[in-house]
Amino acid sequence: MKYNPMLAKLGTKEDLKIKNFVYETKLDGTRGILYKNNSTIKIINRRNNDITHRYPEFNFEKNIKASSCVLDGEIVIFDKTGISRFNLLQHRDLLEDKDLIEKRSKSSPATYVAFDILELEEKKLTQLSQKERFQILKSILNVNVNKKKISSELGRVGANSRKMGANNNEEIFNKNLKLVTSSKNGKLLFDKIAKKGGEGVIAKNPLERYYEGKRRNAWIKIKNTNSIDAIIIGYTQEKRKLSTLLLAVYENKKLIYIGKVGTGFSEIEQEEILSKLEKIKTEKPEIQSLPKGTIFVKPKLVCEAKFLEITKDKMMRAPVFLRMREDKKPKDCTLKEQI
């Protein structure tokens, strides 16, 4: 059975005070539903693409104590402070060349951070509460990397096992598999993450079920910065090969223009983005009255931009390009769900 990931609604810092909710680190990476069947692992992203081959370092099937299961999580790369940064993952996210994939899996290894379980031994768990699912998830993941704990665990099974385990620690604990950090104190967790410039937190109702492919108040994202996922509807070439990207989102099922972004992308990113845009150029604009000199494109590509605020006329103020969102569909870029 294939699963569509549950989505979170946008909240505010007031949601850090909700009683009895649990709070998890908001991860900055690529969402992936993980399917395990015996010794085989497969990961599917939000666009229903199989991306397993891009992460050969994900050899942690022995660390998932189940013959078959389905997990929900995020593929990330952590910086030195322990914060996930998409810019570190970006140069791996779309790789297809086998040699390059293998090389970067060693130079920039990724981590799969699990935060939910949807199925165990062919039994669907989505009807269970978040609290019950999380307890089951914790019970099947062997992710503790504390050296004292490793020694303690090995000590329980005798000298022979201890000797064998000392040479096979990766079979017991794997640095490429983690359980999401969670806390009942939302403000404390948020402040800790914000201090390091992290994404924010996700507030979850422990009594709620998992809603496949739906956006519900059972999950609330509280962001540290303002950002929006938007559809590229055009670009300009005023001073560079790629000067600005013109962005739009859906409101009441119609595309509305929210401004253009001309900072934040490197020269390499400009080349990569332009190569994609040139393939979807069109003579027919999706929105009329766009700025003069716009080269129109079909609304197929999504990017994320940060901004200071959205003005009353629904335009971004001081936008900065953050990244392309290959994992997000244009139809999901709605103003109401993001602002």
Side-chain angles (χ1 to χ4, degrees):
M1 182 180 294
K2 286 190 176 182
Y3 292 86
N4 291 316
M6 180 174 168
L7 305 174
K9 287 208 168 186
L10 183 64
T12 68
K13 289 184 181 180
E14 288 299 310
D15 294 310
L16 295 171
K17 304 173 185 176
I18 302 176
K19 290 184 178 180
N20 301 320
F21 266 44
V22 294
Y23 297 85
E24 297 176 358
T25 302
K26 187 177 186 300
L27 298 159
D28 189 13
T30 294
R31 187 83 172 268
I33 301 294
L34 183 151
Y35 298 82
K36 182 189 176 186
N37 185 15
N38 295 316
S39 61
T40 302
I41 285 177
K42 181 168 68 174
I43 300 176
I44 307 296
N45 69 9
R46 283 180 61 179
R47 300 202 73 157
N48 204 32
N49 294 322
D50 188 337
I51 57 173
T52 316
H53 62 287
R54 293 180 188 155
Y55 303 97
E57 68 268 40
F58 287 179
N59 55 350
F60 44 65
E61 58 277 357
K62 292 182 180 179
N63 297 85
I64 302 174
K65 297 178 286 184
S67 296
S68 69
C69 64
V70 180
L71 308 183
D72 192 359
E74 192 103 354
I75 299 168
V76 302
I77 293 180
F78 293 104
D79 67 11
K80 293 179 180 179
T81 69
I83 295 294
S84 58
R85 308 283 187 191
F86 184 79
N87 65 304
L88 299 177
L89 182 72
Q90 195 166 15
H91 70 294
R92 297 198 55 191
D93 199 41
L94 299 175
L95 287 182
E96 294 298 335
D97 181 86
K98 289 184 179 180
D99 292 336
L100 200 52
I101 286 173
E102 189 65 35
K103 182 178 178 180
R104 290 187 179 172
S105 71
K106 295 174 182 176
S107 63
S108 301
T111 301
Y112 185 84
V113 183
F115 51 72
D116 216 317
I117 182 166
L118 315 183
E119 187 178 301
L120 179 63
E121 308 300 2
E122 300 184 359
K123 182 179 179 181
K124 197 171 182 179
L125 305 178
T126 54
Q127 295 286 348
L128 298 180
S129 69
Q130 191 274 339
K131 182 178 180 179
E132 291 173 306
R133 297 194 312 274
F134 198 71
Q135 289 299 322
I136 294 171
L137 177 65
K138 286 198 296 184
S139 73
I140 70 161
L141 293 186
N142 195 359
V143 293
N144 195 319
V145 294
N146 186 295
K147 291 183 179 180
K148 290 183 179 179
K149 180 75 176 290
I150 292 174
S151 298
S152 176
E153 292 293 332
L154 293 173
R156 292 189 188 126
V157 293
N160 290 334
S161 295
R162 184 161 59 246
K163 184 178 179 181
M164 180 177 66
N167 297 320
N168 294 281
N169 279 347
E170 284 193 356
E171 292 184 7
I172 302 170
F173 301 103
N174 190 304
K175 62 184 178 181
N176 303 116
L177 177 66
K178 287 185 178 293
L179 182 69
V180 71
T181 299
S182 63
S183 172
K184 292 183 179 180
N185 189 327
K187 187 177 184 307
L188 184 65
L189 182 61
F190 183 89
D191 289 346
K192 183 178 179 181
I193 292 168
K195 189 175 181 180
K196 296 180 179 180
E199 280 276 286
V201 301
I202 303 287
K204 294 185 177 180
N205 186 336
L207 303 180
E208 280 278 16
R209 58 161 292 178
Y210 187 97
Y211 296 93
E212 297 173 57
K214 304 294 183 182
R215 197 181 298 275
R216 292 288 188 272
N217 281 325
W219 289 10
I220 303 170
K221 54 186 175 184
I222 302 114
K223 291 184 176 183
N224 180 37
T225 57
N226 294 323
S227 69
I228 190 167
D229 293 323
I231 306 153
I232 302 173
I233 56 170
Y235 64 99
T236 64
Q237 295 181 313
E238 297 152 346
K239 298 178 180 179
R240 300 171 296 186
K241 289 183 178 180
L242 180 62
S243 294
T244 63
L245 297 172
L246 280 72
L247 306 181
V249 292
Y250 281 104
E251 184 177 48
N252 299 323
K253 297 183 179 182
K254 290 185 178 181
L255 277 174
I256 63 166
Y257 177 58
I258 60 170
K260 56 184 179 180
V261 57
T263 61
F265 31 69
S266 66
E267 289 187 13
I268 293 176
E269 286 174 323
Q270 289 178 49
E271 294 285 350
E272 291 176 347
I273 296 168
L274 186 59
S275 68
K276 297 177 188 296
L277 293 173
E278 288 176 338
K279 296 175 183 177
I280 56 172
K281 286 196 294 187
T282 179
E283 296 296 322
K284 184 179 179 182
E286 291 296 323
I287 298 174
Q288 302 300 319
S289 302
L290 291 176
K292 188 177 180 181
T294 298
I295 300 168
F296 309 117
V297 298
K298 296 175 183 178
K300 292 186 175 183
L301 297 177
V302 175
C303 74
E304 182 181 6
K306 66 178 180 179
F307 56 88
L308 289 180
E309 65 176 348
I310 296 292
T311 63
K312 290 182 179 179
D313 57 350
K314 299 173 184 175
M315 298 290 285
M316 296 180 295
R317 181 168 166 250
V320 177
F321 174 86
L322 289 179
R323 56 164 160 162
M324 296 298 291
R325 289 297 306 263
E326 302 288 343
D327 62 329
K328 191 153 188 178
K329 297 177 182 178
K331 68 177 184 179
D332 294 329
C333 299
T334 60
L335 187 66
K336 183 179 177 181
E337 299 294 351
Q338 299 190 83
I339 303 298

